Amino acid sequence: MPVAVPGGERPAPSGGARAGGAAVDFPGVAADGASGGRGLLLGVALSGAVLAAVALRLEPPPPRPAGAPASEFSAARALALLREILGDEAPHPVGSEANRRVQDRILAEMDRLGLRREVQEAFACGRFGMCATVRNLLARIPGERPGKAVLLMAHHDSVPAGPGAGDDGSGVAIALEAARALLSGPPLPRPVILLVDDGEEGGLIGAQAFLDGHPWAREVGAIVNLEARGTSGPSLMFQTTGDDGWLVRLLAGALPRPAASSLFPAVYRLLPNDTDLSVFEPLRLPGVNFALIGGAARYHTPRDDLAHLDPGSLQHHGDNGLAMVRALAGADLDDPPRGNAVFFDVLGLLVVRWPEKASLPLALLAAVLALAGTWVRTRRERLGEAALGLLAFLAAPIAAATLALAAPPAAGAGPFVAHPSAATAAFLAAGAGAVFLAAALFRRAGPHGLRAGAAVGWAALAVATAVLLPGASHLFAVPALAAATVLAPSLARPEHAAADLAVAAVAGLVLFPVALLVLDALGVGAAPIGAAVAALALSPLAPLAAAFPQARRWLPAGAAGAAFVLALGVAAAVPRHSPDAPEHVVVLFHQDADSGRARWLVHAASGRMPAPMRAFAAFGDRTELPVPWGKVRPSFAAEAVPLSAPGPVLELRGGADEGGRLRARMLLASPREARDAYLLFPPDAVVESVSFGGLRVPAPYPRARTWFGGWQMYRCLTLPPGGIDVEVVLGEGGPREVVVADQSDGVPTAGAALVAARPPWASPVQEGDATLFTRRVRLGVH
Ligand SMILES: [Zn+2]
């Protein structure tokens, strides 16, 4: 069984114990009596050192210079390329002129590399009811033999709000720099296909078009996708598709500094996020997905630019992409092995892994060891102490999470704030404080009881996760095995702190990466999760804290509590947002084409409108829904002078009323030449089908409806100047009404002062500032 346990962590106190106390492994580290304070100090120092090592190894590597060997990935070369590709750093969403210029520069680079390339142009729809004419840029590097190919994928479109230097310019530049590196060496066994696709931000449209319509799609045997939900931090391997046991073995051997954990895919599956790789997921093709998630406040904003893209992160991302492509191009893609893995990296030095189906046996083994150790060594009369220890073990993370509920309001509305380190420090202190508090409250359990209870507690969590969320089971199984292994010897010699220190080191190596990444991954609201994780990581210090001299037993908890309050104060005092980590503030000009009424709408993520913007017009004091489907964008509204431009057109061209079932053929057009137009059906409409230009739009995922308060959106992101043919089939019973909208980037010139009043610490996001016209249309045929 390929179970690797981190080396060097297995303590060796058993010899000392068996020898009847003849050998002393850690002299002076006694866990009881007057010297107990020193044990705790040592434990805190050790956990602090592990935390620092984990933090240091989560920093990306130094970028390699432009003169690096040709076979290597160089961030300096990739950055120069990205500078070239992004040009003036204009946002370049699907269908925009800026996007076409970006494409031309990528194609020129493909030509310069001598790649066999082609452009796939297609009108296609993604899974969220959004369609567009996309232009995918493809190239291939021949292998030694034909057959299954490795697909290296990134997307060239950005959101309308920002230049997308990280998302996904970094991926595009890496694909090109990786292609250059691959071409510099001997051919790989298998072909490599580069897919620089379009319309990812519009709902994975380009990837879908490739899968559905390009002949090369049938050759794909494995996929490497490069993404960015930020501009810095490590390149995390955060998702796998297909059976991943062999993929993890491959990446463990290939990546120079792996930052990977089966926890990430397990959590990612629960999140409402998608990348191009999602399109291939139903095929169960083997795939690995890398992403940058540091600096998430800049994601999909104008600050996702070259100035903020960390060259070290680009290096790490490129190292991962290139190494993974090389490894897959040498692997058996025709019949890859079955089975999934549970895995995690240790300081980016190695990847510990085991088959997913071994998780439950491992957890049960830890449980048996923990229970046996508790029973044999504590004797029946001391089982009560172990029970108290279990209570202390479980109470600490709950208490820590409860304390850390104070962190999000202190750090401010996010989800991503300018200085998350203060909130991180706060929840780490909350974790420590909760462990020390539990140790003081459950002091009667004694070091034995706390150790035995913790071993049983770890094992119980390991068993639970092995059943419910196997990808997360290593977080508990590894400390459980460590705690259970050292339990019997440590109970025999309770005065020795070596066992606690060993378990603390193991728990820290496994759990601190989670604590340090959780705010980047989930936002400041996840501070309670971080606190619970920190409490678990620090729980091996509980026996040392319980051995603190009786008279000063509240001192450790008090010290941690003071640190918590201090960090909370700092989190509250530092600015929530900065020019580098802006609050999202979006300006919308909305004109109701039926009434002719127009409004300025300002959405601020904090729910507070920046004062300089309020001076622009008579904005209301409270937010309102900008449009009935604008659930996610409560906005401040003020009357605006209407534009003389016409609203969108939905013109009946034919159709039939088939016994209560309506089939209508129409032309959807934007006389003011907006690029983006959509139909919105009320929540109770019975929409049987919608087609754009003869292409039936797949029913949007149910998740997409929740974004719009139940309204059903069908959207064409690249509306042709003359409009597009639409066919709608509505079932019996529902309303026969639709809202038609057209949307263009930016606001009318009359709003220039409003946009200019947006403070430097705020910025637009996603679709950015926009001009929206809507009209209600009753559907019917005569
Ligand atoms: Zn992206």
Side-chain angles (χ1 to χ4, degrees):
M1 190 169 60
V3 178
V5 171
E9 306 305 346
R10 189 163 301 162
S14 54
R18 268 199 308 274
V24 176
D25 299 310
F26 287 81
V29 186
D32 57 357
S35 53
R38 278 161 65 195
L40 182 60
L41 277 181
L42 199 63
V44 169
L46 174 77
S47 288
V50 172
L51 179 68
V54 168
L56 203 67
R57 294 294 293 177
L58 282 175
E59 289 292 314
R64 240 169 262 140
S71 63
E72 290 179 2
F73 178 87
S74 153
R77 288 192 288 249
L79 261 181
L81 206 61
L82 185 55
R83 211 158 264 132
E84 180 78 36
I85 290 169
L86 293 181
D88 60 356
E89 294 196 68
H92 45 279
V94 58
S96 64
E97 279 166 35
N99 184 265
R100 196 56 172 254
R101 290 195 292 275
V102 164
Q103 291 173 34
D104 289 343
R105 294 190 284 256
I106 295 168
L107 290 171
E109 182 56 27
M110 285 178 167
D111 287 339
R112 210 175 60 76
L113 290 169
L115 287 164
R116 186 186 142 200
R117 53 90 166 170
E118 55 180 79
V119 178
Q120 179 199 13
E121 185 166 318
F123 183 73
C125 302
R127 54 179 57 187
F128 302 115
M130 297 200 264
C131 309
T133 299
V134 290
R135 294 182 86 240
N136 292 335
L137 317 180
L138 293 122
R140 58 187 300 148
I141 303 169
E144 277 175 337
R145 53 178 189 271
K148 290 270 186 237
V150 180
L151 182 70
L152 177 56
M153 183 162 57
H155 64 90
H156 64 67
D157 64 309
S158 75
V159 291
D167 177 18
D168 190 22
S170 62
V172 174
I174 288 166
L176 293 169
E177 163 68 2
R180 186 209 52 72
L182 295 174
L183 289 167
S184 76
L188 295 169
R190 292 182 178 281
V192 175
I193 296 171
L194 303 189
L195 170 58
V196 181
D197 68 57
D198 197 358
E200 192 271 354
E201 303 292 3
L204 325 178
I205 303 170
Q208 193 71 51
F210 171 76
L211 181 62
D212 294 344
H214 199 280
W216 293 357
R218 289 191 288 278
E219 292 176 47
V220 174
I223 305 163
V224 178
N225 190 50
L226 298 169
E227 261 294 356
R229 209 212 53 191
T231 56
S232 58
S235 165
L236 302 176
M237 203 294 285
F238 73 101
Q239 185 193 13
T240 57
T241 53
D243 286 15
D244 69 9
W246 71 280
L247 283 172
V248 172
R249 176 171 49 77
L250 211 60
L251 81 84
L255 303 191
R257 190 197 283 207
S261 165
S262 48
L263 174 70
F264 306 153
V267 171
Y268 183 75
R269 268 192 285 276
L270 305 175
L271 295 178
N273 295 344
D274 278 290
T275 71
D276 280 331
L277 192 58
S278 306
V279 167
F280 297 85
E281 222 175 345
L283 305 182
R284 298 203 45 80
L285 275 173
V288 287
N289 211 346
F290 294 98
L292 309 176
I293 64 165
R298 296 186 275 277
Y299 171 59
H300 284 181
T301 78
R303 312 295 201 276
D304 181 8
D305 56 8
L306 284 165
H308 289 97
L309 181 60
D310 184 335
S313 300
L314 189 64
Q315 182 67 48
H316 195 205
H317 216 23
D319 283 344
N320 284 343
L322 178 58
M324 206 60 219
V325 167
R326 279 200 173 115
L328 285 167
D332 173 14
L333 302 181
D334 294 310
D335 189 20
R338 315 281 307 175
N340 288 314
V342 171
F343 57 95
F344 62 99
D345 75 274
V346 180
L347 298 175
L349 299 171
L350 72 151
V351 175
V352 179
R353 63 198 162 84
W354 59 76
E356 193 181 273
K357 57 182 187 288
S359 282
L360 188 56
L362 276 175
L364 291 172
L365 172 69
V368 168
L369 282 175
L371 290 171
T374 303
W375 179 260
V376 170
R377 292 293 181 174
T378 60
R379 310 278 183 258
R380 178 172 288 185
E381 66 272 18
R382 301 185 77 171
L383 278 183
E385 294 177 0
L388 276 182
L390 177 60
L391 268 182
F393 175 82
L394 297 175
I398 295 169
T402 309
L403 277 174
L405 285 174
F416 300 103
V417 295
H419 304 285
S421 43
T424 301
F427 77 62
L428 288 171
V435 168
F436 300 154
L437 190 65
L441 286 172
F442 294 86
R443 200 177 163 86
R444 259 190 331 111
H448 316 65
L450 289 167
R451 273 182 207 137
V456 173
W458 283 117
L461 293 176
V463 171
T465 45
V467 173
L468 298 172
L469 195 66
S473 61
H474 62 280
L475 300 178
F476 312 107
V478 174
L481 284 168
T485 305
V486 300
L487 182 61
S490 71
L491 292 180
R493 292 180 57 76
E495 71 275 21
H496 279 185
D500 304 317
L501 296 180
V503 179
V506 171
L509 286 172
V510 177
L511 288 164
F512 281 142
V514 181
L516 291 178
L517 288 170
V518 73
L519 294 196
D520 277 345
L522 303 175
V524 74
I529 299 176
V533 171
L536 287 167
L538 297 169
S539 65
L541 306 186
L544 304 174
F548 216 69
Q550 167 78 12
R552 287 180 284 151
R553 63 189 184 280
W554 302 107
L555 187 64
F564 172 66
V565 171
L566 182 69
L568 214 56
V570 174
V574 294
R576 284 139 174 70
H577 301 288
S578 69
D580 291 333
E583 180 187 345
H584 301 154
V585 176
V586 182
V587 180
L588 190 68
F589 174 88
H590 173 226
Q591 185 156 329
D592 180 341
D594 296 320
S595 67
R597 183 176 171 234
R599 293 177 306 160
W600 296 108
L601 295 156
V602 175
H603 166 78
S606 64
R608 285 185 302 273
M609 187 165 172
M613 298 181 80
R614 183 169 282 283
F616 174 79
F619 282 99
D621 292 329
R622 288 160 187 260
T623 58
E624 51 186 278
L625 288 190
V627 282
W629 54 92
K631 182 185 136 195
V632 294
R633 284 281 171 85
S635 302
F636 298 95
E639 291 297 322
V641 178
L643 294 181
S644 58
V649 167
L650 190 62
E651 199 178 279
L652 192 69
R653 289 288 168 91
D657 207 330
E658 302 156 347
R661 195 161 159 272
L662 177 75
R663 178 183 301 273
R665 279 188 292 108
M666 296 166 288
L667 178 79
L668 168 62
S670 170
R672 63 183 187 96
E673 298 193 350
R675 201 178 59 240
D676 177 1
Y678 40 101
L679 301 179
L680 281 145
F681 296 93
D684 50 347
V686 185
V687 183
E688 288 192 5
S689 74
V690 173
S691 304
F692 283 131
L695 180 72
R696 185 166 169 168
V697 186
Y701 274 27
R703 186 199 303 162
R705 277 181 75 160
T706 66
W707 300 333
F708 307 115
W711 285 67
Q712 305 167 64
M713 180 186 276
Y714 291 84
R715 190 163 187 174
C716 177
L717 294 164
T718 55
L719 191 71
I724 193 165
D725 290 323
V726 178
E727 188 182 84
V728 172
V729 180
L730 291 180
E732 255 180 278
R736 294 195 164 179
E737 193 179 72
V738 66
V739 173
V740 53
D742 67 1
Q743 184 173 319
S744 49
D745 297 337
V747 296
T749 43
L754 177 59
V755 169
R758 180 166 33 214
W761 45 262
S763 85
V765 68
Q766 306 284 10
E767 290 166 16
D769 300 339
T771 299
L772 173 71
F773 277 64
T774 59
R775 184 193 295 287
R776 278 180 187 269
V777 177
R778 267 206 63 76
L779 296 178
V781 290
H782 329 286

